[in-house]
Amino acid sequence: MEKSIFPKDFLWGGASSANQCEGAYNEGGRGLSTSDMVTFIPKEELGNNYNLELSLSHIDKYLKGDHGAYFPKRKGIDFYHRYKEDIALLAEMGLNAFRISIAWSRIFPKGIEDTPNEEGLLFYDKVFDELLRHNIQPIVTISHYETPLYLTLEYNAWENRALIDLYIKYAKVLIDRFKNKVKYWITFNEMNMMETTPYTAGGILLEKAKKDKITTVYQALHYQFVASAGIYEYAKKTAPDIKVGCMFGRLEKYPVTCNPEDALQTMKEDQMNFFYADVLVRGEYPGSMLRFFAEQGIDLDITAEDKSALRNNHAAFVGISYYMSYVAQKDPSGIKTFGNIVSSVRNPYLELSEWGWPIDAVGLRIALNRIYDRYRIPVFVVECGLGAKDTAGADGTIHDDYRIDYIRRHIEAMSETIQDGVALMGYLAWGIIDTVSCSTSEMSKRYGFIYVDQDNYGNGTQDRLRKDSFYWYQKVIKSGGTSL
Ligand code: BG6
């Protein structure tokens, strides 16, 4: 067999989140979470929009009854009850890592309690034990696009400084309980999504915010930075063997032309995207962002203590999600293509996925090189995958060669990246098992290598089926990435 470029301890895995997978929203003492309030809106009504920002009247209405609406994230794919079967399939594929998130409201139903909900902790104990029994490392995201709903209603969640302590209390409980089972942790999923969807990323209802949108967004991010730093510090003191990282959605951008103005625009957008890791790895706000705040009149509540917490406590690795690349141009007009929450100018050199997301494996190599060059600490691809419509044949087969092709190209790009000298920790294919889509709450936008028989309204047997990509990834892992 050809010699593998990938290190022996490379983490070959998959990724998921509690709000998209678990279901059982009202079992085991779990409280309501922000994601439970998202209703399914059919494509004919939603068009090319996303279903991520909610209003208070929407929440008020659905707190009083379901009014015939369907809430896909309350049901997920029932991982809560089927985790053993799912983990057995992941083990059969040969995964040595699986990323899940913890539902905050399973541990602290309202977010304000003094003692955690033991039943919630026990559920994750069982999941981690099952993973470890199969030699699969759990990778844990402490907060992935959900907040106890009570915190939204009472505090407007991350708009409020009080969330720092509430989050730290919650995260400390997790670290104390699971430090011997979980080595890799991520404080927040895709921090940059706060800019686009404060409700999803920060549990914030903009209509309740005391300040304008842009100030609210960067204030919430600041609080999440300080909360992250608090957990880096706690881990260092109490669990030196665990690694706690940061994560952002990498928006790799190319200038639309070689006009220096387009290159400058690209640089500025890049600085905005690197901001999250700049703060959490380097420990201070970059000058470019301070200038941006001054120009925009953004005045943030940042204390001397906050600054010292950031300066002294840093992320152990940089996690990224990567789905596509983007194009930047000085002139804001231009052909728009739909992206992962962010739209951009159409790149004529790239094909688009069925959801209009440009496919660009070379962009992943560029992104990883640039991140490593900038921070010089290990980089981890904690999400990457292709959302597509899959059809199960009468015999239960699913031929997803388009997905295999996408993942193959991205693994090839990672192999090049490792040869470029980048310390790459692993690759976690997003939605290794079909889940509810984050942005549209559809089931029909499938990322999995394992198919789940469930439709957009939650109908179906929920049976799990192996797609062609399942057998292909199994071979890839077994060969250490040489058999692509
Ligand atoms: C990332 C999120 O932005 O993209 C995931 O962290 C999400 O939660 C993934 O599922 C894919 O996006 P979508 O909207 O296609 O599910």
Side-chain angles (χ1 to χ4, degrees), residues 42-166:
K43 179 91 181 144
E44 307 78 65
E45 264 175 66
L46 190 63
N48 275 348
N49 297 311
Y50 290 122
N51 182 13
L52 293 163
E53 280 299 282
L54 300 187
S55 65
L56 189 54
S57 57
H58 172 103
I59 294 176
D60 274 348
K61 173 175 165 188
Y62 290 115
L63 278 177
K64 291 189 189 111
D66 65 15
H67 301 273
Y70 173 56
F71 303 85
K73 290 170 182 165
R74 293 184 184 182
K75 180 163 191 167
I77 52 158
D78 199 24
F79 179 76
Y80 187 79
H81 295 111
R82 293 177 177 249
Y83 71 91
K84 281 195 181 158
E85 179 192 346
D86 290 342
I87 292 171
L89 284 165
L90 301 178
E92 185 184 327
M93 236 189 297
L95 263 60
N96 61 9
F98 183 47
R99 174 177 170 227
I100 65 164
S101 70
I102 299 217
W104 187 344
S105 64
R106 227 178 248 302
I107 310 302
F108 288 100
K110 286 182 167 173
I112 52 155
E113 297 83 350
D114 291 330
T115 39
N117 170 33
E118 178 58 25
E119 213 178 331
L121 290 168
L122 262 179
F123 167 67
Y124 295 105
D125 260 324
K126 288 190 281 181
V127 170
F128 298 146
D129 289 345
E130 194 66 13
L131 286 167
L132 294 169
R133 201 167 70 76
H134 287 287
N135 297 316
I136 301 175
Q137 291 247 15
I139 318 281
V140 168
T141 317
I142 297 172
S143 174
H144 188 134
Y145 288 170
E146 62 180 310
T147 309
L149 187 64
Y150 182 87
L151 297 182
T152 291
L153 299 175
E154 294 300 314
Y155 295 76
N156 212 15
W158 285 96
E159 184 195 2
N160 196 318
R161 184 177 269 279
L163 265 277
I164 300 177
D165 287 345
L166 293 169

Side-chain angles (χ1 to χ4, degrees), residues 307-332:
K307 284 188 187 164
S308 136
L310 293 172
R311 209 171 26 248
N312 295 322
N313 304 289
H314 304 149
F317 60 87
V318 180
I320 60 158
S321 61
Y322 177 89
Y323 290 87
M324 70 193 85
S325 60
Y326 300 78
V327 177
Q329 72 172 9
K330 172 78 177 149
D331 169 8

Side-chain angles (χ1 to χ4, degrees), residues 20-21 77 390 403 431-436 443 445-453 467:
Q20 292 165 271
C21 268
I77 52 158
D390 297 324
R403 182 168 296 105
I432 190 88
I433 174 161
D434 292 346
T435 57
V436 175
M443 261 315 283
K445 188 180 189 188
R446 296 173 181 276
Y447 286 85
F449 300 0
I450 300 166
Y451 182 90
V452 177
D453 177 30
K467 302 184 192 177

Side-chain angles (χ1 to χ4, degrees), residues 20 144 189-190 323 340 357 383 430 437-439 445 447:
Q20 292 165 271
H144 188 134
N189 182 61
E190 290 186 334
Y323 290 87
N340 185 0
W357 295 14
E383 265 188 47
W430 172 255
S437 155
C438 164
S439 55
K445 188 180 189 188
Y447 286 85

Side-chain angles (χ1 to χ4, degrees), residues 244-384:
V244 192
C246 64
M247 177 196 173
F248 67 107
R250 175 60 190 151
L251 311 180
E252 192 55 49
K253 300 210 172 169
Y254 308 124
V256 70
T257 69
C258 51
N259 180 337
E261 291 297 337
D262 287 327
L264 184 65
Q265 179 64 24
T266 313
M267 183 197 80
K268 286 185 181 170
E269 292 183 20
D270 249 353
Q271 287 172 328
M272 303 283 290
N273 187 234
F274 280 129
F275 168 49
Y276 311 90
D278 281 357
V279 175
L280 291 176
V281 178
R282 293 173 159 172
E284 60 182 11
Y285 276 61
S288 57
M289 288 307 287
L290 296 178
R291 176 176 183 173
F292 169 77
F293 293 155
E295 286 173 356
Q296 298 290 320
I298 300 172
D299 186 18
L300 299 183
D301 159 34
I302 301 180
T303 65
E305 269 183 359
D306 295 348
K307 284 188 187 164
S308 136
L310 293 172
R311 209 171 26 248
N312 295 322
N313 304 289
H314 304 149
F317 60 87
V318 180
I320 60 158
S321 61
Y322 177 89
Y323 290 87
M324 70 193 85
S325 60
Y326 300 78
V327 177
Q329 72 172 9
K330 172 78 177 149
D331 169 8
S333 65
I335 312 154
K336 295 280 178 195
T337 184
F338 209 44
N340 185 0
I341 323 288
V342 183
S343 323
S344 119
V345 179
R346 170 89 163 89
N347 184 335
Y349 298 99
L350 300 176
E351 315 151 38
L352 302 181
S353 78
E354 279 177 272
W355 268 263
W357 295 14
I359 298 173
D360 180 13
V362 173
L364 176 61
R365 177 176 175 189
I366 298 171
L368 293 171
N369 268 277
R370 294 185 64 206
I371 293 167
Y372 188 63
D373 285 349
R374 194 174 177 103
Y375 304 113
R376 308 302 291 178
I377 62 170
V379 189
F380 196 175
V381 180
V382 297
E383 265 188 47
C384 173

